Amino acid sequence: MLKRLEIAGFKSFARKTVLDFSSSVTSVVGPNGSGKSNVAEAFRFALGEQSMKSMRGKRSEDLIWSGSNIAPRANRAAVTIVFDNTKRIFPQLEFDEVAIERAVFRDGASEYAINGSKTRLRDVQELLASANIGETGHHIISQGEADRILSSAPKERRSMLEDALGLKVFEFKKQEAERKLERTEENVQQVEALRREIAPHIRFLAKQVERLDRAEELAKELRALCQTYFAIEEAYLRIERTATEEKLRIVSESLAVLEAELRTFEERVTVDVEGIKRSEAVRSCEKELDRLTGERSELAREIGRVEGALNEAKRRSVAVAHDPYVKVSRDDMTALRDEVESQVRAVEHADHGALHAALQTLRTAITAFFERYVSGSDDFMPEEEQVAHELAAKHLELMRKDTEFSESVAKARELLRNAREATMAYEETGREQNRRLLDLAEEKATAESERSRLASRMGELDYLYEDLEQGKREAVALVGVNALSYDAVQALPNEDRRAQEDRKRTMERLKIRVEEAGGSGEDVRSEYKEATDREAFLASELEDLAKSAAGLKELIAELDTELQKSFAEGLQKVNASFGEFFSLMFGGGGARLVLEEFAAPDEEDEEFEEDAQPKRAKNAKPGIEISVNLPKKRVQALMQLSGGERALTSIALIFAMSQVNPPPFLILDETDAALDEANSRRYGDMIENLSSKSQLIVITHNRETMSRAGILYGVTMGADGISKLLSVKFEEAVSVAK
Ligand code: ATP
């Protein structure tokens, strides 16, 4: 329901002018050029009209009071339409009054406000659409525009009809949904691009993590093996050491006994100068022999140690030879690369001969490199073999020393025996005693060599112990302290010592592999987790987007169906009304709106136009044609109607559309100008009829029309060029209108 129109600075309404619409039919009358049409345009303006042409202007400035000899020009044109909203014709606004205001400034800027709050044009349009006040202006029929709906193109006509049927709300919703869908699809593409971008990185990280997992498996295996090995080795060394020490103790004891017995022999020698000399010779020989055997025992321990290390080094070098990997010296690699590069550079612009020579050189270099590492030529020795080599040399040296010692010992024994024999001969002691002394010396030599062997064994055990400690340190560095968490073993397993040695070999190989697998890789794991989390996030986002896209598509389809259905129903109703009004105005005949028919594509053309745009877009909607059938006449083309007939036809159509979906108000600017007296009466009847559903504002010079109005406004313009408004009675109106 219209309540008021407030105009200020708009066109000829320089001063604030208020029109009240408390009656269902309001008539605006006045002489030509007084500003009546400006009132209708004020409505258009406030409702957001964007076409300057439909407000008879070129620029926004044309809408602002331009001044006259008396009143200066205004800088701002403002129009407010106030609606009664007690019946909530704007359902979304909880106010009893709704004021829609628009102002325009000389720089062309427009401002919109709803109940004093600034808003966007779009909000105003949506608000109006919700109350069936559409934008095509079917409810404002400007002067001379009554037959706009007759003269416009079928497409435009359809748009007006859709607007009149209140379908714009659906149209807005559909556009909104389509915009959202477009944005959603853009997002989908962006997310998909992101996923494509990170996919190779994830694949790379996954491989890394897989490698880490394998390394961890190896480490676990190594840890278990270490635990078994260390436990057994510790027990072995403990048991062996105790046994060897015990044997050493026994040998030392029996040596002490033998020495004591030998000494008593010597003490029994007669105390004479010659005797003393001889027994002193024996003693000095004995001392020398003791010194030599003591030193040799020391040497034996050292030999044992070196032998232990040597055996280990040999084992290792065998393990390395069985390993599929070859350690390559950095220098050799660099040399090979340099050689390849320099040859390639040399032959870049070379002839056939030089090329051949270069290839020959390269082949030699690569063969040499290969042989050095893979075929194991003599001039190259891996680290382990180098160590074994050195130890073997040392061992050889020690053995040579040992041989020297054994010669010295033999010599010392010989000297001792001679000294003893000399003593015995001098003493002329019996043969028995003589034999006993020789046996004692023999026994002592055997005990001494046993002690030397045991010392060597102790040396070997020392070495194995050091090696075990070293192995533990390495294991801890590689797989952590857990390598040492095992229970001590009391009894050795029932197996050959070689089983333990095999275990050690396997352990060494595993160590190499674990070392190569390298690092804990916590960084890689956390990076992998981050990347997969992100991937999962993107996937779920994509899923959400797909869901919302599907929802939007469904909504669009629903709106389409709704639109189609409402349009078809509306068209039917408008047609029924249109025919009725038409025959009422013309005293017979009929008229109807028909959907435009698209020309079927030419069969022959098709072959040549395969790539051409289809003639009709997939979702194009047919436009609307008007078919008329005048009583007693054969005329059917709109073109052939007279001016009055056109006016009658368009009035019938406008009224029919208003009837089916009544707009809150309808402004008719001299729509009745072309009507004769009889038709003016029918027009007046229809106005009264329509006013029961829509508020009517009729700008008119027609006496008959004025007579149907509840309120009459007269518009006048004086010498100052300012339109003035006055309320008039019907009797006055007729004279004001002139
Ligand atoms: P008719 O009965 O002949 O249709 P009308 O009453 O509808 O006449 P309008 O067309 O509304 O008259 O008014 C036109 C008048 O408005 C002209 O006198 C014109 O000079 C004046 N006018 C239009 N724009 C402005 C403006 N920006 N500033 C001042 N006056 C203006």
Side-chain angles (χ1 to χ4, degrees):
M1 271 277 274
L2 275 180
K3 243 180 155 170
R4 278 197 309 284
L5 178 72
E6 299 171 7
I7 316 176
F10 184 82
K11 288 205 165 185
S12 55
F13 288 91
R15 303 207 180 93
K16 184 170 174 179
T17 309
V18 178
L19 286 83
D20 270 297
F21 305 108
S22 44
S23 163
S24 60
V25 180
T26 305
S27 191
V28 179
V29 303
N32 289 138
S34 60
K36 300 186 298 298
S37 291
N38 291 344
V39 173
E41 277 150 20
F43 271 104
R44 277 191 194 283
F45 173 74
L47 297 177
E49 179 63 65
Q50 295 301 296
S51 150
M52 288 305 295
K53 213 173 120 202
S54 71
M55 294 182 287
R56 291 179 301 165
K58 278 193 186 124
R59 299 160 300 149
S60 315
E61 277 204 294
D62 298 337
L63 302 181
I64 305 174
W65 163 249
S66 60
S68 68
N69 49 351
I70 288 161
R73 68 175 202 171
N75 288 321
R76 176 180 187 267
V79 179
T80 307
I81 307 176
V82 181
F83 292 91
D84 181 346
N85 194 36
T86 46
K87 294 207 180 100
R88 295 292 181 264
I89 57 164
F90 300 109
Q92 66 270 54
L93 292 182
E94 288 292 318
F95 298 101
D96 288 346
E97 233 179 41
V98 171
I100 293 174
E101 183 185 3
R102 178 183 181 183
V104 71
F105 300 85
R106 288 208 173 266
D107 64 3
S110 265
E111 273 177 7
Y112 298 88
I114 295 172
N115 280 358
S117 310
K118 278 191 188 169
T119 53
R120 298 170 306 158
L121 168 62
R122 180 157 181 87
D123 298 323
V124 174
Q125 286 172 336
E126 276 174 29
L127 181 70
L128 293 172
S130 73
N132 193 25
I133 307 168
E135 58 183 325
T136 51
H138 63 274
H139 41 68
I140 302 175
I141 312 298
S142 290
Q143 191 175 359
E145 258 205 343
D147 70 351
R148 184 156 71 104
I149 195 154
L150 294 199
S151 53
S152 47
K155 286 241 149 20
E156 215 177 312
R157 229 177 257 144
R158 177 174 181 127
S159 172
M160 286 187 245
L161 181 63
E162 281 178 353
D163 199 1
L165 291 174
L167 302 182
K168 281 285 162 208
V169 195
F170 296 114
E171 202 59 61
F172 275 132
K173 279 187 191 159
K174 195 182 145 188
Q175 281 168 13
E176 178 93 32
E178 278 169 344
R179 260 199 310 277
K180 275 189 196 157
L181 183 61
E182 210 173 292
R183 271 203 302 274
T184 309
E185 274 161 2
E186 275 167 22
N187 283 344
V188 165
Q189 278 177 354
Q190 277 170 5
V191 173
E192 275 173 349
L194 276 176
R195 278 184 95 188
R196 268 199 303 280
E197 218 170 90
I198 63 171
H201 189 52
I202 289 184
R203 274 200 298 279
F204 168 75
L205 289 173
K207 263 194 210 132
Q208 299 267 91
V209 168
E210 213 175 281
R211 253 189 51 200
L212 284 173
D213 286 345
R214 269 205 307 276
E216 219 150 80
E217 274 304 306
L218 285 176
K220 228 161 115 188
E221 209 180 306
L222 177 57
R223 203 172 293 131
L225 188 58
C226 282
Q227 290 166 349
T228 316
Y229 176 82
F230 294 152
I232 293 174
E233 193 69 1
E234 254 171 26
Y236 172 76
L237 290 180
R238 192 181 59 242
I239 292 166
E240 283 293 301
R241 217 179 245 246
T242 316
T244 311
E245 273 167 0
E246 178 62 13
K247 281 182 197 155
L248 258 178
R249 194 182 56 75
I250 292 167
V251 167
S252 302
E253 269 173 21
S254 55
L255 262 175
V257 170
L258 287 170
E259 273 163 11
E261 198 176 335
L262 275 170
R263 230 172 284 126
T264 55
F265 260 98
E266 269 124 41
E267 271 157 20
R268 260 188 276 120
V269 172
T270 20
V271 189
D272 64 329
V273 179
E274 184 61 23
I276 289 170
K277 223 160 93 198
R278 282 172 202 276
S279 58
E280 257 169 14
V282 168
R283 213 161 289 154
S284 110
C285 282
E286 274 179 346
K287 231 186 218 159
E288 178 61 10
L289 184 60
D290 275 351
R291 187 185 65 78
L292 284 171
T293 53
E295 273 178 29
R296 196 186 175 195
S297 185
E298 202 62 16
L299 183 67
R301 196 163 176 143
E302 176 71 11
I303 288 172
R305 197 190 295 265
V306 169
E307 271 173 356
L310 181 59
N311 285 341
E312 179 55 28
K314 276 185 188 156
R315 258 203 301 280
R316 265 189 216 227
S317 82
V318 169
V320 168
H322 284 274
D323 203 272
Y325 300 101
V326 172
K327 261 193 198 157
V328 176
S329 112
R330 198 176 292 273
D331 288 349
D332 285 346
M333 290 276 280
T334 315
L336 181 66
R337 189 202 58 202
D338 290 350
E339 183 64 39
V340 171
E341 271 179 6
S342 95
Q343 290 301 330
V344 168
R345 217 174 300 124
V347 298
E348 242 164 11
H349 307 290
D351 59 15
H352 187 74
L355 199 64
H356 189 74
L359 279 175
Q360 208 57 38
T361 313
L362 279 181
R363 195 168 74 177
T364 313
I366 291 169
T367 308
F369 180 85
F370 182 78
E371 277 181 358
R372 194 164 161 76
Y373 286 100
V374 186
S375 317
S377 84
D378 291 338
D379 57 339
F380 173 73
M381 216 179 274
E383 200 187 317
E384 286 77 8
E385 251 177 74
Q386 189 85 39
V387 170
H389 200 69
E390 280 163 16
L391 283 170
K394 191 166 183 198
H395 185 246
L396 203 65
E397 170 70 22
L398 291 173
M399 288 308 279
R400 203 166 32 245
K401 257 192 204 165
D402 189 60
T403 313
E404 277 171 25
F405 264 110
S406 94
E407 278 166 13
S408 311
V409 167
K411 235 179 247 160
R413 282 214 180 100
E414 181 68 26
L415 283 175
L416 181 59
R417 197 171 50 241
N418 290 345
R420 279 195 184 125
E421 273 169 5
T423 311
M424 280 187 291
Y426 175 75
E427 285 178 353
E428 287 172 358
T429 41
R431 269 187 165 276
E432 263 321 293
Q433 273 179 337
N434 207 349
R435 168 127 310 125
R436 176 65 192 145
L437 191 61
L438 286 177
D439 284 352
L440 275 176
E442 191 66 25
E443 273 175 45
K444 198 187 165 200
T446 311
E448 270 166 356
S449 105
E450 174 66 3
R451 190 177 65 179
S452 181
R453 194 187 64 76
L454 289 171
S456 167
R457 176 63 179 152
M458 278 307 277
E460 199 181 354
L461 291 174
D462 283 350
Y463 170 77
L464 289 176
Y465 180 76
E466 278 162 26
D467 190 57
L468 172 63
E469 289 303 303
Q470 170 72 17
K472 282 185 187 173
R473 281 194 293 277
E474 276 176 24
V476 169
L478 271 176
V479 297
V481 283
N482 268 349
L484 304 185
S485 49
Y486 51 86
D487 295 328
V489 168
Q490 293 312 318
L492 285 172
N494 185 17
E495 62 178 24
D496 197 275
R497 173 68 182 157
R498 246 174 296 163
Q500 176 76 340
E501 281 168 4
D502 282 346
R503 226 169 258 134
K504 174 140 200 211
R505 243 192 313 280
T506 316
M507 202 169 80
E508 293 305 330
R509 263 182 234 154
L510 262 177
K511 275 185 189 169
I512 293 171
R513 290 176 67 192
V514 168
E515 217 160 21
E516 274 166 1
S520 76
E522 275 320 301
D523 294 358
V524 173
R525 280 187 199 283
S526 69
E527 197 181 340
Y528 180 65
K529 186 173 178 327
E530 255 169 50
T532 45
D533 281 356
R534 176 142 177 76
E535 158 65 21
F537 169 74
L538 290 177
S540 85
E541 188 146 89
L542 213 53
E543 212 172 284
D544 290 351
L545 286 171
K547 255 186 229 155
S548 75
L552 285 167
K553 277 182 194 153
E554 203 176 308
L555 177 64
I556 290 168
E558 273 169 21
L559 286 169
D560 263 335
T561 318
E562 186 88 33
L563 267 167
Q564 264 171 22
K565 190 168 148 260
S566 306
F567 182 77
E569 281 171 12
L571 183 64
Q572 218 175 358
K573 283 187 196 157
V574 169
N575 264 339
S577 229
F578 185 27
E580 221 172 273
F581 281 126
F582 188 88
S583 84
L584 192 78
M585 294 288 246
F586 286 93
R592 51 188 279 111
L593 301 176
V594 280
L595 289 176
E596 192 184 22
E597 269 179 34
F598 287 104
D602 202 319
E603 292 272 326
E604 276 169 57
D605 281 0
E606 239 178 2
E607 269 184 65
F608 302 97
E609 284 184 21
E610 256 186 311
D611 294 326
Q613 287 283 329
K615 282 184 177 164
R616 177 188 160 194
K618 221 165 79 202
N619 53 359
K621 297 182 277 191
I624 285 177
E625 313 261 31
I626 299 171
S627 142
V628 292
N629 181 13
L630 295 184
K632 290 178 245 137
K633 288 185 184 175
R634 274 246 175 108
V635 186
Q636 281 192 325
L638 285 178
M639 293 280 283
Q640 289 167 309
L641 297 179
S642 76
E645 285 168 342
R646 281 183 78 88
L648 286 174
T649 306
S650 46
I651 288 166
L653 181 50
I654 287 163
F655 285 7
M657 292 196 306
S658 305
Q659 187 87 335
V660 170
N661 187 37
F665 62 90
L666 189 60
I667 299 168
L668 301 167
D669 189 354
E670 299 191 35
T671 311
D672 52 8
L675 304 185
D676 59 24
E677 240 185 77
N679 280 327
S680 292
R681 252 198 315 282
R682 289 181 187 140
Y683 180 78
D685 288 346
M686 286 198 290
I687 290 234
E688 263 181 50
N689 194 330
L690 275 183
S691 73
S692 64
K693 287 186 178 135
S694 300
Q695 229 171 330
L696 293 178
I697 295 156
V698 286
I699 297 168
T700 187
H701 291 286
N702 193 310
R703 202 178 181 284
E704 184 60 41
T705 309
M706 289 179 212
S707 72
R708 314 286 176 134
I711 294 176
L712 280 156
Y713 285 114
V715 180
T716 58
M717 187 184 280
D720 57 6
I722 297 175
S723 296
K724 287 178 200 66
L725 189 78
L726 50 145
S727 240
V728 289
K729 299 230 158 50
F730 176 66
E731 296 75 32
E732 295 169 288
V734 182
S735 63
V736 169
K738 288 171 188 155

